[in-house]
Amino acid sequence: MSIQRVRAGVVGVGSMGRNHVRVLRELPEANLVGVADADADRAADVAEKYGVPALDVATLLARVDAVVVAVPTPFHAELTEQAIDAGVNVLVEKPFVAERSEGERLIERAEDAGVALQVGHVERFNPGVETLRDVVGDRDLIAVDARRVGPPPDRDIEDSAVLDLMIHDIDVLLSIVDSEVETVSAVGARDNRHVTATFGFADGTMASLTASRVTQQKVRELSVTADDCRVNVDYTSQHVEIHRHSLPEYVETDGDVRYRQESVVEHPTVQTGEPLKRELSSFLHAARTGSTPEVTGADGLRVLDIAKRVDELAAANDEQEVTLQ
């Protein structure tokens, strides 16, 4: 039985938007109808490459069932609202919106219009993260650590390292810790291009996240410590390691005493794949069936609230611990 194809388009075909166009062109459940961008030349180049028309936003929205909004954050609310009012399902890239009030309005309008509203937290669909959730799902967690660092990008990015990079790990953190954030502290350097934040949850779990655009090594790592194991995830390779039963001991060899620690290391099978394809497939399923998106507007707002608090604390180099209201 053939899958009903969803007519889809992309608004904003910069660096991330182009990837959305590429994936939608490849997915069998999508019928890429066209693209739109404020830069007419850029829109024309992408449209020609993928064999679709470059349209103005209003015309594109009149022709599609679902649209990806991949424009700079200050324009998210305006374009997402325009799509919702046209009765079109929307995936809006992260950060969800610039201000909480905008997000609240969009969530309400999407509910009234009966359309899907999904926020583009793509790491939620990383196969390595999905495997991690399966492993630690019912365990009592102790700590979560994540590093998302790398050298300066070759393009201008308006958002800070927190709102561009760390926000991914905040979303993953909130999806695996079943508790509310009670405290957060943060410190930043180089105009918040390097930030470390720590979190305390109501259930006692703690977390430390670092994001950087000034580190001369690209690292995308996540680790979770539980009572009986430690799970390490490489976001990029989607490789997962589970360490159990650590056995520390001192060993004497030829009169020298040395410390040795061994553990059982498991390498679960991960069904690897491009997270963006999985994210867009999930979005198209929600658009086609009317089901609740995997990452809702409410999820996006919760992540945004915490990310903005981290950004503010880091910008002030204020390491004092504050209680989230």
Side-chain angles (χ1 to χ4, degrees):
M1 187 172 109
S2 63
I3 299 174
Q4 179 186 354
R5 300 176 74 198
V6 178
R7 297 175 302 165
V10 178
V11 178
V13 289
S15 177
M16 192 63 204
R18 288 171 186 252
N19 284 318
H20 282 286
V21 173
R22 170 183 58 80
V23 170
L24 286 171
R25 198 75 172 87
E26 295 172 356
L27 288 175
E29 62 266 45
N31 174 20
L32 183 64
V33 170
V35 301
D37 195 284
D39 185 327
D41 291 338
R42 182 163 60 190
D45 287 344
V46 174
E48 181 179 3
K49 179 176 180 178
Y50 291 98
V52 295
L55 306 167
D56 62 80
V57 173
T59 302
L60 179 64
L61 293 177
R63 297 184 182 182
V64 299
D65 308 302
V67 70
V68 174
V69 173
V71 298
T73 305
F75 303 102
H76 281 187
E78 175 188 350
L79 288 165
T80 300
E81 187 167 13
Q82 190 175 344
I84 291 171
D85 289 347
V88 175
N89 302 280
V90 190
L91 186 153
V92 55
E93 264 299 343
K94 58 78 191 166
F96 179 19
V97 285
E99 301 295 335
R100 165 170 265 278
S101 59
E102 296 173 333
E104 291 174 335
R105 185 176 71 250
L106 293 176
I107 291 170
E108 183 177 353
R109 293 183 82 94
E111 289 175 351
D112 290 344
V115 299
L117 174 59
Q118 181 167 324
V119 181
H121 287 293
V122 68
E123 293 289 25
R124 189 85 74 91
F125 299 88
N126 188 306
V129 173
E130 292 178 347
T131 300
L132 168 73
R133 280 201 295 267
D134 290 340
V135 173
V136 304
D138 57 355
R139 285 181 164 82
D140 291 330
L141 305 186
I142 298 171
V144 179
D145 303 282
R147 291 190 299 159
R148 186 175 295 267
V149 304
D154 58 1
R155 58 191 174 89
D156 292 333
I157 300 176
E158 295 181 13
D159 294 322
S160 69
V162 175
L163 291 169
D164 179 47
L165 298 175
M166 187 185 289
I167 196 167
H168 285 296
D169 299 306
I170 294 174
D171 176 68
V172 171
L173 175 66
L174 296 183
S175 76
I176 61 177
V177 180
D178 187 20
S179 183
E180 291 299 316
V181 177
E182 283 197 335
T183 61
V184 58
S185 61
V187 61
R190 301 294 179 91
D191 297 322
N192 274 16
R193 288 182 291 164
H194 188 106
V195 176
T196 294
T198 58
F199 305 84
F201 288 81
D203 67 356
T205 304
M206 62 169 291
S208 175
L209 311 181
T210 295
S212 177
R213 291 203 199 102
V214 292
T215 304
Q216 295 302 319
Q217 179 189 12
K218 185 175 181 179
V219 178
R220 300 285 188 268
E221 296 176 342
L222 172 69
S223 297
V224 176
T225 300
D227 284 326
D228 63 343
C229 67
R230 178 179 172 87
V231 186
N232 299 325
V233 179
D234 186 309
Y235 282 111
T236 303
S237 69
Q238 300 171 13
H239 179 72
V240 178
E241 288 185 347
I242 307 170
H243 293 253
R244 305 182 194 270
H245 308 301
S246 178
L247 300 172
E249 61 177 341
Y250 287 94
V251 180
E252 183 176 346
T253 304
D254 297 330
D256 293 335
V257 177
R258 299 183 180 182
Y259 179 79
R260 181 176 68 187
Q261 183 161 341
E262 296 182 353
S263 61
V264 176
V265 182
E266 301 173 14
H267 299 94
T269 300
V270 179
Q271 299 298 322
T272 58
E274 185 178 1
L276 186 61
K277 285 188 177 181
R278 298 162 74 101
E279 177 186 55
L280 285 169
S281 288
S282 176
F283 169 56
L284 294 173
H285 174 77
R288 187 173 62 249
T289 64
S291 56
T292 301
E294 185 74 19
V295 185
T296 66
D299 293 333
L301 270 189
R302 185 183 180 210
V303 173
L304 179 68
D305 287 342
I306 294 174
K308 292 186 77 170
R309 178 65 65 88
V310 169
D311 209 29
E312 292 165 1
L313 288 171
N317 276 336
D318 184 356
E319 296 184 83
Q320 70 178 358
E321 193 173 72
V322 299
T323 301
L324 288 178
Q325 301 298 323

